[in-house]
Each structure stands twice: as structure tokens, then as C-alpha cells.
Amino acid sequence: MPTGAEVIREVKNRIDEVDPGAVRSDLESGNGNAPVLIDVRESDEFEAGHIPGARHVARGFLESRIEGAAPDRAQRVVLYCASGNRSALAADTLERQMGYENVESMTGGITLWKDRGYDVEVPRALTAEQRSRYSRHLLLPEVGIEGQLKLLDAKVLLLGAGGLGSPTALYLAAAGVGTLGIVDDDTVDVSNLQRQVIHTTDRVGEPKVDSAETSIHAINPEVEVLKYDTRLDASNIMEIIDGYDVVVDGADNFPIRYLLNDATVRLRIPVVSASILGFDGQLAIFAPYDGPCYRCLYPSPPPAELAPSCGANGVLGVLPGTMGLLQATEVIKLIVGSGDPLIGRLLLYDALAASFTELKVRRDPDCPICSRDPESISEDEMGVFPDYEAFCAAAG
Amino acid sequence: MAVTVKIPQQLRTVTAGEAEANVEEATTVGEVLDGLYERYDGLRDRIAEDGDLRRFVNVYVEGEDIRFLDGLDTSVEDGDEVTILPAVAGGR
């Protein structure tokens, strides 16, 4: 019987081999002769570094997965491994058993490629702990490793760790959003606990940002929590929101909603906005210049006596949970880039009727804010309304 | 000829708690609202001013904002759903 070395030598004699230099110039030339390049090594070898543009089909899965990477048997396929042996055996399999007509094995493998000083791409990888933690995301083609890495890189700002912010923060933390900023200057009160599930009875009296951080880290210690124990206002908004990818608006009053709208339009940051009252919830994404802004929907706020949000109102404890999780869902979709985001649409939820209604929201060509160039929106006019402070104060 | 009007939480104090109202024999949004004003005392003041809708109140016919249609002259057809929606800011 022949030795292993003799088998490999014999296979190499009957297959076609190609030099790394030729592969590189064919890949770069764009002359139509570029092959499908396939790395047949094991997963850990591939993840440690591979030739840019290479697909990965480990030799052990060659027969079952090659058609995913190279469906056309007539197309040119170049295989490589570490030094050129495994790829030679794989090329033999493709040619003799599977009928591929134009297969080559790259001589010297990636070792020779690197020795020549050619480029190697080192993909970012998840740790073993992350692979396990996020495994249910990784199994979804719409998220997968790329989507999970986007989540880990994302910075999301939550306005308020209250009714809406609580469930949103918990689920975004669980989903692996890398940085969560929380703006809230309130402390935990026992009357919050009917709906603000990020807080606990033993933390009554603590600042909400601290209590929220404790719960977030209990779920996912790798989330970075940036705490802003303050009220968002015209003096600090630009500094706080700058650099965030998405803002989640759960603000409980109109001055902040308008201020936030104007600042996010200027900085082109999408806002996933929800509001709740009693048994009714509303949800929409305001994506500057891709869709309408909040002022396109409501050009001005209601006067104090008709602004139910200024005072204390009843709310079904579950409702901010429902609406907050719909917000969290839209945040994740925006970050991952999957699905049809709720831009230009307003979703109404009526908990008593158990019904959803969708309304269209159009960009207003005469919008006082988003019909203009973002740089032209001055700090002086942000969030400004006639008499607003006065009437909110009147409403208590 | 009837349209169904959805009434939001904030306005139910003037509709005796009704969340939905049917209006017969109206051909425009303006006529639908007039029908409601006759029925519900105080509703007109809550959503209208000087014969037009207040700026923080939107009205939709079959999901379309009437500001981008013909305003109060927007026509309605039998079976249409009209939604009245004032701005809400509650988050707590």
C-alpha cells in the first residue's frame, strides 16, 4: 500500500496547481478570470486569518457545502489550505467525484502567500462566551455573526429609565448592544415599580441610572453603561447625544420631544419614539432626511390644558412594556439593517381593543426643521415653542 | 353610507368613554367631524380652532393624513375608517 506522502504526490501529479502570484493577479485584475477562492482549512484556522474574499468550506464538509460556495461546475475554482496538501486532495475530489471542470489547488497554501507579503484578512470573531450567549442570534440569517458584531459595536441612548426605558434597556442589554447611555435625573420610587421593571423594591431611593446599571450588568456584564444623572435640556443635549447611533425616546413631556427632534435632525441620528397614555401606545421611527421628523407629524405641541403628558396620568403597567419592546425591536432592526423599519409609519396599539392601526406619516415639505439643511438649524431655535414652559408649568 | 371614527384616549372624556363612533351621511372629513360635534359636547373645542383642526391634532382617512390630502374637504366613502390623533408624550 502507498504511504500518505505517496498518495499526495500522486494526486498532485494529476490535478492542476496554480502559483499564489497568479491567483493574486487574477483576483486583483478584474479581467473576468477571477476564480472563486475557497479556503478548505478548519474554522479556527480560517478565523485566524484568510485571503481577502475567500469563502470558507472546510475539507470535512467539502462535498456537502461546496455547492453553496461554487454552484456552477464550469466556473473556475481555486482551493487553498495551509501548505497545499489538503487543497490538492480537495481539488481531486471536486474534479473526479463531483465533476468540477476547472479546479486548481494553490501551491504552498496561505503560508507561501504570506511569505510573499500578500494581504491577509483577519476577521473579527466572537469569544466562546459570546458565541454561547448570542447563539440564538447567530442562528438567524438576518442577524448572524455580522449582525451581532454590529450590535456589540452599537451605541444606543435611552431617554429615561422609566416605563418605556426599562424594558427597552433590559432587552437591548440582553441582545448585546455594546454601549447603552441612560439619561435620567430621577430616583426610584415605589410607585414606579408597577411598570418600571428595571428597578427593584430594594433599590427604592437610588438614582434610576444606578439602579438601571445594576440590572443591565446583572443580565450582561459586557455592556458599557454611560450614566447621565441629569435632565436633558438645550444646554446639554448636543453634547450628550453626539456619537450615538440611535436614540430611544421615552420622554414624558413635549419640550424634550421637540428639543430632541431638532437636535437629532441636525446630527442625523434616528430616533425610535414611543409614547403611552392609559391603554394606548404610539410608535414610530423618525429618521432624519430618510423619513419624516416629529415636527412633520405634529408641527406644534398642544397647549398645557390639553397636554395630558404634563401631569400624572394613569397607565396600564404592561403597556410601556409592550411599547418599549416594540421600540427595542426597531432599534435592533436599525442596527442590524434587517427588515422593514417603522420609518414614515405610525403604529397605534389599543390595549383595550387588542388592535393595531398603522397610519402613514409623510415628510412635510414645509417642515420648519427637516426641510432645511441640518447645519442651518441653530442652537437658539432648537426645541423652541411660544409659551411652552409656561403652559407645562401650569399643568403641573 | 357610514364611516367609523376612532377616538383616542385623551378625547374620551368628551365622548362619554366611547372609543368608536359611526357617522352616517357624511361625504367629507369636515362633515364627519360636524356629525361628531353635534353628538359630543366639548369635542369641537378640543380639536378645532377657528374652523380648522388644531396643529397638534391629526386626522387620518384610511391611514392617510388629511393634511396631505384635501384637509377637511377630503372625501370619505362608505366603510372608511377615520382616526383622530392628538400628540401624546407620556413615557413614564
Side-chain angles (χ1 to χ4, degrees):
Chain A
M1 290 297 285
T3 65
E6 284 165 348
V7 169
I8 289 170
R9 205 175 308 127
E10 192 186 321
V11 165
K12 282 189 176 175
N13 278 335
R14 66 173 178 252
I15 61 148
D16 292 321
E17 291 189 297
V18 59
D19 183 79
V23 174
R24 181 166 172 265
S25 59
D26 286 341
L27 285 173
E28 285 176 359
S29 68
N31 61 6
N33 201 27
V36 177
L37 185 62
I38 293 171
D39 188 321
V40 300
R41 299 174 299 158
E42 301 301 310
S43 292
D44 56 331
E45 296 176 280
F46 181 79
E47 281 165 16
H50 56 255
I51 297 175
R55 308 284 300 266
H56 179 233
V57 181
R59 192 181 158 223
F61 293 104
L62 187 70
E63 295 84 348
S64 57
R65 294 187 185 166
I66 186 64
E67 282 152 335
D72 176 5
R73 280 167 164 69
Q75 75 192 119
R76 183 179 173 211
V77 178
V78 171
L79 308 177
Y80 74 90
C81 59
S83 66
N85 289 344
R86 281 176 286 174
S87 58
L89 296 167
D92 195 46
T93 303
L94 291 190
E95 204 172 305
R96 301 221 304 177
Q97 293 180 22
M98 298 190 70
Y100 278 81
E101 296 160 21
N102 194 357
V103 187
E104 292 154 302
S105 166
M106 193 176 85
T107 46
I110 197 167
T111 310
L112 182 55
W113 176 278
K114 283 189 205 165
D115 286 349
R116 300 257 180 95
Y118 302 159
D119 276 353
V120 172
E121 183 179 317
V122 181
R124 282 179 63 204
L126 298 176
T127 63
E129 203 271 342
Q130 287 173 324
R131 275 203 300 274
S132 174
R133 179 183 287 272
Y134 306 119
S135 58
R136 299 304 190 277
H137 273 169
L138 302 181
L139 289 167
L140 294 171
E142 293 82 357
V143 183
I145 189 159
E146 275 180 31
Q148 190 62 52
L149 288 169
K150 285 181 189 168
L151 289 169
L152 290 168
D153 286 342
K155 290 185 72 174
V156 176
L157 183 68
L158 301 159
L159 296 193
L164 291 163
S166 285
T168 314
L170 289 174
Y171 272 87
L172 292 179
V177 169
T179 305
L180 287 177
I182 303 172
V183 188
D184 204 315
D185 69 341
D186 207 2
T187 53
V188 181
D189 184 86
V190 73
S191 69
N192 301 147
L193 301 176
Q194 166 252 20
R195 64 203 175 283
Q196 300 182 15
V197 295
I198 204 165
H199 308 301
T200 57
T201 306
D202 63 334
R203 298 204 291 264
V204 167
E206 263 188 44
K208 283 188 176 175
V209 288
D210 293 339
S211 171
E213 181 185 43
T214 302
S215 292
I216 287 169
H217 281 158
I219 289 182
N220 192 342
E222 77 175 349
V223 175
E224 186 181 359
V225 178
L226 300 178
K227 299 182 285 183
Y228 306 91
D229 191 352
T230 182
R231 268 191 98 76
L232 206 62
D233 61 33
S235 72
N236 61 20
I237 188 166
M238 293 301 279
E239 195 183 330
I240 290 176
I241 69 173
D242 198 14
Y244 281 95
D245 301 309
V246 183
V247 175
V248 182
D249 180 15
D252 59 354
N253 65 78
F254 285 107
I256 291 186
R257 286 197 179 228
Y258 283 90
L259 179 65
L260 175 73
N261 180 70
D262 301 348
T264 49
V265 168
R266 175 147 149 200
L267 294 173
R268 294 174 175 262
I269 302 171
V271 177
V272 179
S273 177
S275 58
I276 49 172
L277 183 71
F279 295 89
D280 289 357
Q282 299 184 10
L283 179 78
I285 299 178
F286 299 104
Y289 303 100
D290 285 340
C293 77
Y294 191 68
R295 286 198 199 239
C296 297
L297 176 62
Y298 292 115
S300 66
E305 67 274 18
L306 299 179
S309 51
C310 288
N313 281 280
V315 62
L316 183 71
V318 180
L319 182 69
T322 307
M323 299 311 294
L325 292 190
L326 289 170
Q327 274 183 302
T329 308
E330 292 304 312
V331 170
I332 289 173
K333 283 163 60 186
L334 282 180
I335 294 168
V336 169
S338 288
D340 188 10
L342 199 65
I343 295 171
R345 296 184 284 152
L346 181 68
L347 190 67
L348 307 183
Y349 173 57
D350 178 343
L352 282 180
S355 73
F356 284 95
T357 305
E358 190 180 305
L359 305 173
K360 288 195 188 73
V361 187
R362 297 192 185 280
R363 274 188 80 178
D364 182 350
D366 300 323
C367 176
I369 292 294
C370 82
S371 66
R372 294 158 50 193
D373 188 45
E375 280 72 35
S376 75
I377 302 166
S378 75
E379 307 222 347
D380 290 344
E381 61 186 321
M382 276 190 206
V384 169
F385 279 100
D387 299 337
Y388 202 75
E389 295 287 332
F391 69 63
C392 219
Chain B
M1 180 76 189
V3 299
T4 306
V5 184
K6 293 233 177 183
I7 297 156
Q9 190 98 16
Q10 304 98 294
L11 298 178
R12 289 179 205 161
T13 48
V14 292
T15 62
E18 290 297 323
E20 229 176 69
N22 283 316
V23 177
E24 311 267 342
E25 319 222 332
T27 57
T28 65
V29 171
E31 290 173 17
V32 170
L33 294 179
D34 286 341
L36 292 180
Y37 298 154
E38 274 171 35
R39 199 174 315 169
Y40 302 118
D41 234 19
L43 181 64
R44 185 195 300 267
D45 280 353
R46 294 289 297 274
I47 65 174
E49 194 171 41
D50 304 330
D52 209 347
L53 285 171
R54 288 168 177 261
R55 294 195 79 195
F56 60 90
V57 177
N58 290 341
V59 174
Y60 301 82
V61 175
E62 291 293 290
E64 286 281 1
D65 190 337
I66 62 165
R67 284 186 297 156
F68 299 97
L69 299 170
D70 296 323
L72 293 175
D73 296 330
T74 302
S75 61
V76 291
E77 287 173 23
D78 194 24
D80 276 358
E81 189 172 284
V82 174
T83 305
I84 304 174
L85 198 70
V88 189
R92 298 288 158 139

